[in-house]
């Protein structure tokens, strides 16, 4: 019986995970080796964490697409040029080495930097080891000098060429000792090189042309080499890779060339006694198409919330079609576009992941952050805060409804980076909980330049003057003077207690910019029914269910259904009742739901309910129907368990064999299979 319940819970909660950890295929090892010069650390770490060849193939396509300078053309010019470098390196640098040319040190720098402006080969000199002097024009925007040298030499005249270090080795390393009659030191070695080539001699002391070394080597050479090694980190944006593990299942390869950087702001505020995530997502750009004379784009938005163990407690998806008239587009074209919304959340520590896909322009952006949802108890604390540009009252017909960054019928306009202009008003809104537990209070705001300890401005206000009508929020329309100069600042908010209680403190960073541009984004924000409403209660019930707090899940979903009946609500209630071992109550909800919808998930609920009641034959009615349409490991296992309990091992065994073919790493199913085989052998 315990085995049945455990298998059933697995089926319901979808906690089955096939083992995808496997060694890299040879082609993936070869790819890692091939791109090592241009692969960032983040990209490598993410690639090695991927579990299937399909995921790695998708990542490789995305890797090349992100480096394509002209993504609108069929040919990837970067890929073509890079592979030309690989072919050149293999033809020219592999001689005398035990590896392919592109795997040697010369190959590494050639793949990363491309062909040098000049490549001098010294392979037939009798006094020096075979060597090459390369001369490059440096990409100054990435920290390289305008021009620099590199020397590669074949130590002792055998094996592959290695990179020479002027600082660590010195010119004597390039000289063949047996060919020089006098004592070999730095000075004599330098003179010997100068007799061959003045440019080579100079490069043996420093890779920086024209640098005066006064007969010694220079540390600038080590700096140049270090900057070359870090060039990939500076040159190639790996922002797309940081969140690839989260969005890999949602993005098609055709979108991969257009990952768009974005900024976001996520805050936790209370509305009508319930905690909500208020969020804003600002893509770096929005690409529209023209449809029927309007600017048009269709977006898909996915929001996921995971607990600290990586279990999903909420996944919310919606379609957002935007159609904007040319006049309206022209009016706002210089502004950033912000998507804003609210989501009810249960207490706890979570990770929030947002994925926004522009299905029209085929680009996408992502955002990920950790969030902490407080549980309101007895202690006093300052909740989240926002710094805002201005406030706007909602229209009369919108009052009381839920909207992002909107409280008491007032919408607070923000940008996600907390950027402002000097001489512009900056407002503060925050929420304070359990004020009744502290004595006479005042709000103290201090403005600090970042990384400095002395405030440049202070403001004190009695809380009674700045509290919002709900008695929860604090609203200060102007918190800084107009004389503050551009720079990075921190607003430190303190609630001062007249007694001896420890003050409450909250901090928010902001930026004052020197140049003017539209600070307030053009906002797309939905209106929701006031809380409590059926949809929000369902979302809370779903989160409690996923966290296995089934009693709270039952309370929330029953409240949701009392307001508005829905198929998803009834299905969740049936699952919750099963999880609470109220199998008969679950059946009373699920049977009429299945008769109405014929839904596959509801059939699973019926099967596990009957299994919970040990009514194996009734459970099999639904399990056999499920197996007619698709093969699922959890359904195979439960059906086998039912046949086993009905003393039909000959029917149970093929199901278990099939299950283990799909996933051989199921210890409990392996044990069950042994029992089935023993029973079958006794018959």
């Amino acid at each position: 019986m315990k085995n049945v319940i455990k298998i059933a819970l697995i089926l319901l909660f979808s906690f089955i995970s096939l083992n995808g950890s496997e060694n890299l295929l040879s082609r993936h090892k070869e790819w890692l080796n091939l791109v090592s010069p241009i692969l960032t650390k983040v990209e490598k770490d993410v690639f090695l964490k991927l579990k299937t060849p399909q995921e790695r193939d998708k990542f490789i396509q995305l890797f090349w697409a992100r480096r394509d300078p002209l993504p609108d053309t069929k040919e990837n010019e970067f890929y073509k040029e890079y592979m030309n470098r690989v072919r050149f390196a293999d033809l020219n640098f592999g001689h005398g080495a035990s590896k392919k040319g592109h795997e040697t040190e010369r190959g590494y720098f050639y793949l990363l930097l491309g062909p040098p402006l000049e490549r001098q080969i010294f392979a037939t000199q009798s006094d020096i080891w075979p060597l090459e002097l390369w001369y490059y024009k440096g990409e100054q925007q990435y920290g390289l000098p305008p021009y620099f040298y590199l020397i590669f030499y074949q130590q002792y005249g055998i094996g592959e060429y290695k990179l020479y270090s002027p600082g660590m080795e010195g010119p004597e390393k390039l000289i063949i000792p047996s060919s020089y009659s006098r004592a070999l030191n730095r000075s004599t070695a330098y003179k010997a090189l100068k007799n061959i080539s003045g440019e080579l001699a100079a490069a043996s002391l420093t890779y920086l042309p024209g640098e005066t070394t006064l007969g010694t080597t220079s540390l600038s050479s080590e700096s140049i080499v270090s900057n070359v090694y870090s060039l990939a980190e500076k040159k190639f944006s790996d922002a797309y890779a940081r969140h690839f593990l989260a969005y890999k299942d949602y993005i098609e390869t055709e979108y991969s060339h257009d990952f768009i950087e974005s900024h976001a702001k996520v805050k936790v505020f209370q509305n009508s006694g319930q905690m909500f995530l208020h969020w804003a997502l600002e893509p770096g750009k929005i690409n529209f198409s023209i449809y029927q004379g309007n600017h048009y784009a269709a977006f898909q938005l996915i929001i996921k919330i995971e607990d600290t163990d990586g279990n999903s407690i909420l996944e919310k998806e919606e379609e957002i079609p935007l159609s904007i008239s040319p006049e309206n587009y022209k009016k706002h074209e210089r502004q950033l576009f912000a998507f804003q919304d609210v989501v009810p959340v249960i207490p706890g520590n979570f990770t929030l992941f947002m994925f926004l896909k522009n299905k029209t322009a085929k680009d996408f952006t992502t955002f990920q952050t950790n969030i902490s949802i407080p549980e309101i108890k007895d202690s006093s604390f300052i909740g989240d805060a926002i710094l805002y540009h201005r406030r706007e009252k909602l229209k009369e017909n919108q009052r009381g409804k839920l909207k992002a960054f909107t409280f008491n019928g007032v919408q607070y306009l923000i940008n996600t980076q907390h950027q402002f202009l000097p001489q512009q008003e900056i407002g503060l809104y925050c929420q304070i909980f359990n004020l009744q537990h502290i004595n006479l209070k005042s709000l103290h705001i201090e403005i600090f330049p970042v990384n400095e300890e002395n405030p440049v401005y202070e403001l004190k206000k009695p809380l009674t003057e700045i509290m919002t009508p709900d008695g929860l929020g604090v609203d200060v329309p102007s918190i800084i003077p107009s004389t503050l100069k551009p720079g990075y600042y921190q607003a430190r908010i303190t609630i001062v207690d007249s007694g001896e209680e420890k003050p409450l403190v909250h901090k928010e960073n902001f930026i004052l910019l020197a140049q003017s541009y539209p600070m307030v984004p053009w906002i797309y924000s939905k209106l929701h029914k006031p809380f409590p409403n059926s949809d929000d209660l369902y979302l809370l019930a779903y989160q409690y269910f996923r966290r296995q707090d089934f009693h709270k899940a039952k309370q929330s979903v029953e409240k949701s259904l009392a307001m508005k009946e829905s198929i998803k609500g009834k299905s969740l209630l049936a699952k919750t009742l099963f999880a609470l071992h109220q199998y008969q109550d679950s059946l009373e909800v699920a049977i009429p739901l299945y008769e109405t919808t014929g839904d596959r998930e509801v059939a699973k609920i019926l099967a596990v309910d009957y299994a919970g009641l040990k009514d194996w034959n009734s459970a099999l009615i639904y399990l056999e129907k499920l197996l007619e349409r698709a093969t699922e490991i959890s359904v195979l296992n439960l059906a086998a368990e039912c046949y086993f309990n009905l003393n039909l091992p000959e029917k149970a065994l093929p199901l278990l064999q099939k299950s283990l073919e799909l996933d051989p790493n199921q210890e409990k199913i392996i044990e069950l299979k042994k029992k089935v085989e023993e029973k079958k052998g006794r018959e």
Side-chain angles (χ1 to χ4, degrees):
M1 180 63 182
K2 289 182 179 179
N3 283 339
V4 172
I5 298 301
K6 288 179 180 178
I7 294 171
L9 284 172
I10 287 174
L11 183 147
L12 268 180
F13 302 153
S14 302
F15 288 160
I16 298 171
S17 59
L18 295 177
N19 183 6
S21 59
E22 58 188 62
N23 294 328
L24 289 179
L25 297 177
S26 58
R27 59 186 169 90
H28 292 140
K29 291 178 183 177
E30 290 171 4
W31 179 81
L32 270 179
N33 188 37
L34 183 74
V35 300
S36 62
I38 59 170
L39 187 72
T40 71
K41 182 180 183 302
V42 169
E43 289 173 320
K44 182 177 180 180
D45 289 346
V46 171
F47 186 79
L48 292 175
K49 288 178 182 176
L50 299 176
K51 296 185 179 299
T52 68
Q54 293 76 20
E55 290 175 356
R56 296 189 185 107
D57 290 340
K58 182 182 285 190
F59 184 92
I60 290 171
Q61 290 178 305
L62 185 56
F63 172 90
W64 290 118
R66 289 298 301 154
R67 286 159 170 77
D68 187 356
L70 300 171
D72 294 331
T73 61
K74 290 183 178 180
E75 189 170 57
N76 185 328
E77 292 77 9
F78 180 91
Y79 175 79
K80 181 180 179 182
E81 167 61 22
Y82 192 82
M83 296 312 294
N84 284 338
R85 295 179 189 180
V86 171
R87 282 188 283 273
F88 181 90
D90 285 345
L91 285 171
N92 293 276
F93 304 146
H95 305 297
S98 60
K99 58 185 75 169
K100 294 179 181 178
H102 72 266
E103 297 173 335
T104 64
E105 286 199 58
R106 281 184 298 176
Y108 182 95
F109 285 88
Y110 191 87
L111 265 58
L112 179 58
L113 299 171
L117 291 176
E118 191 176 336
R119 176 181 170 221
Q120 298 181 39
I121 300 175
F122 299 87
T124 58
Q125 302 292 327
S126 59
D127 294 338
I128 60 175
W129 300 118
L131 60 83
E132 294 186 9
L133 175 65
W134 293 9
Y135 183 59
Y136 273 104
K137 182 177 181 179
E139 297 178 275
Q140 293 177 260
Q141 67 270 36
Y142 303 122
L144 292 173
Y147 295 93
F148 63 93
Y149 294 111
L150 293 175
I151 295 174
F152 300 91
Y153 74 106
Q154 193 179 38
Q155 195 172 25
Y156 309 120
I158 58 174
E160 71 174 87
Y161 284 63
K162 60 169 286 190
L163 179 68
Y164 164 78
S165 170
M168 301 296 292
E169 295 177 307
E172 58 271 28
K173 274 286 186 179
L174 304 177
I175 302 295
I176 301 174
S178 61
S179 67
Y180 210 77
S181 57
R182 288 179 292 172
L184 188 61
N185 55 37
R186 183 151 301 197
S187 177
T188 55
Y190 172 79
K191 290 177 182 178
L193 292 175
K194 193 171 183 181
N195 289 334
I196 298 171
S197 166
E199 191 175 25
L200 175 61
S204 73
L205 297 180
T206 173
Y207 280 162
L208 191 62
E211 183 180 37
T212 302
T213 61
L214 299 177
T216 62
T217 53
S218 167
L219 293 177
S220 61
S221 301
E222 308 307 317
S223 176
I224 290 170
V225 172
S226 176
N227 280 331
V228 171
Y229 275 119
S230 64
L231 187 59
E233 302 290 340
K234 300 173 183 176
K235 192 171 184 178
F236 304 113
S237 172
D238 54 19
Y240 77 95
R242 293 189 194 107
H243 298 159
F244 183 82
L245 292 171
Y247 71 70
K248 59 183 172 59
D249 296 328
Y250 301 102
I251 194 68
E252 297 84 8
T253 304
E254 63 193 87
Y255 286 77
S256 61
H257 69 270
D258 249 334
F259 173 83
I260 293 176
E261 304 266 4
S262 63
H263 295 281
K265 183 74 69 179
V266 180
K267 297 289 185 179
V268 181
F269 292 113
Q270 189 181 92
N271 295 79
S272 303
Q274 169 61 41
M275 287 299 190
F276 282 83
L277 288 182
H278 288 241
W279 61 264
L281 180 65
E282 294 175 7
K285 63 177 179 178
I286 293 286
N287 295 309
F288 291 94
S289 295
I290 302 298
Y291 179 69
Q292 295 182 345
N294 288 337
H295 294 267
Y296 177 80
F299 294 89
Q300 180 188 29
L301 173 68
I302 296 172
I303 294 177
K304 287 180 64 177
I305 299 177
E306 295 181 350
D307 63 18
T308 52
D309 294 324
N311 300 315
S312 174
I313 69 159
L314 179 65
E315 185 167 332
K316 187 171 178 283
E317 182 177 337
E318 65 177 296
E319 300 290 323
I320 305 174
L322 295 180
S323 183
I324 301 167
S325 69
E327 297 78 21
N328 213 11
Y329 181 83
K330 185 70 175 176
K331 179 181 176 182
H332 296 283
E333 64 180 342
R334 293 187 64 236
Q335 292 176 262
L336 284 171
F337 194 96
F339 295 87
Q340 297 185 358
D341 207 356
V342 293
V343 180
V345 279
I346 63 175
N349 296 314
F350 306 108
T351 297
L352 170 71
F353 172 75
M354 303 173 70
F355 174 81
L356 182 71
K357 179 165 66 174
N358 185 335
K359 299 198 293 185
T360 303
K362 298 197 183 303
D363 54 43
F364 68 99
T365 190
T366 64
F367 176 74
Q368 183 174 327
T369 189
N370 294 326
I371 54 175
S372 181
I373 315 301
E375 190 164 7
I376 309 302
K377 296 183 178 178
D378 293 333
S379 59
S380 304
F381 66 94
I382 300 178
D384 266 343
I386 50 172
L387 301 177
Y388 64 85
H389 290 265
R390 63 177 188 268
R391 301 169 299 184
E392 292 182 354
K393 286 188 176 181
L394 293 184
K395 296 177 182 178
E396 193 65 36
N397 62 348
Q398 297 179 347
R399 299 283 174 85
K401 293 188 176 180
L402 281 168
K403 193 176 184 181
F405 306 103
T406 299
F407 313 95
N408 302 296
V410 177
Q411 183 177 7
Y412 293 81
L413 303 181
I414 69 165
N415 67 37
T416 58
Q417 299 182 73
H418 274 172
Q419 293 179 336
F420 300 88
L421 293 173
Q423 302 181 350
Q424 176 191 357
E425 293 289 324
I426 300 180
L428 164 73
Y429 174 86
C430 67
Q431 291 186 339
I432 308 169
F433 296 89
N434 295 320
L435 272 173
Q436 69 273 16
H437 296 299
I438 56 178
N439 297 309
L440 183 63
K441 317 104 188 166
S442 64
L443 185 77
H444 187 191
I445 300 174
E446 298 171 285
I447 306 298
F448 295 83
V450 171
N451 299 324
E452 293 188 21
E453 291 300 320
N454 297 318
V456 293
Y457 178 72
E458 296 182 60
L459 175 69
K460 289 186 179 180
K461 290 276 189 180
L463 284 181
T464 53
E465 292 183 10
I466 54 177
M467 292 297 295
T468 54
D470 59 3
L472 179 64
V474 166
D475 188 358
V476 185
S478 180
I479 65 167
I480 66 169
S482 60
T483 55
L484 215 58
K485 296 179 180 179
Y488 292 83
Y489 294 92
Q490 183 181 88
R492 195 169 300 173
I493 307 151
T494 307
I495 303 293
V496 181
D497 187 348
S498 62
E500 297 181 357
E501 292 293 326
K502 186 177 179 181
L504 310 178
V505 180
H506 183 87
K507 301 173 184 178
E508 287 289 330
N509 293 331
F510 66 96
I511 306 169
L512 287 185
L513 299 179
Q515 293 183 335
S516 177
Y517 81 96
M519 294 289 175
V520 181
W522 189 16
I523 297 171
Y524 171 86
S525 185
K526 294 176 66 175
L527 278 170
H528 300 267
K529 294 178 181 178
F531 186 83
N533 61 69
S534 178
D535 291 338
D536 286 338
L537 287 167
Y538 170 81
L539 290 177
L540 292 169
Y542 184 83
Q543 293 172 57
Y544 281 123
F545 178 83
R546 295 296 295 181
R547 205 174 63 178
Q548 301 188 44
D549 190 340
F550 302 122
H551 289 287
K552 288 185 178 178
K554 180 174 178 286
Q555 292 172 7
S556 290
V557 74
E558 285 178 339
K559 289 179 183 177
S560 173
L561 289 168
M563 292 181 173
K564 184 180 71 175
E565 287 197 354
S566 65
I567 292 173
K568 65 180 182 180
K570 289 181 178 180
S571 177
L572 180 57
L573 177 59
K575 290 181 182 180
T576 305
L577 291 168
F578 165 80
L580 291 168
H581 308 297
Q582 298 174 19
Y583 308 125
Q584 196 61 51
D585 292 339
S586 178
L587 284 171
E588 289 176 8
V589 176
I591 289 173
L593 188 59
Y594 183 73
E595 291 173 351
T596 303
T597 65
D599 185 79
R600 186 174 178 84
E601 293 304 310
V602 180
K604 293 179 185 178
I605 299 170
L606 291 168
V608 294
D609 278 334
Y610 281 119
L613 294 168
K614 299 185 180 181
D615 186 347
W616 315 115
N617 284 310
S618 295
L620 282 167
I621 291 172
Y622 297 97
L623 292 169
E624 288 172 350
K625 288 181 180 179
L626 288 167
L627 289 171
E628 287 175 3
R629 300 179 187 175
T631 301
E632 295 179 52
I633 291 175
S634 54
V635 177
L636 288 168
N637 292 343
L638 186 56
E641 185 93 21
C642 291
Y643 283 126
F644 177 74
N645 284 290
L646 289 170
N647 292 314
L648 296 170
E650 69 280 3
K651 289 192 174 183
L653 188 58
L655 299 177
L656 295 172
Q657 289 171 335
K658 181 63 176 178
S659 174
L660 290 170
E661 283 177 19
L662 296 171
D663 179 11
N665 300 306
Q666 301 181 76
E667 292 183 7
K668 292 179 180 177
I669 299 306
I670 292 172
E671 291 176 9
L672 178 60
K673 180 172 174 286
K674 289 179 180 177
K675 293 179 181 178
V676 170
E677 289 172 334
E678 289 173 2
K679 180 177 282 192
K680 189 172 184 296
R682 289 195 296 267
E683 291 181 354

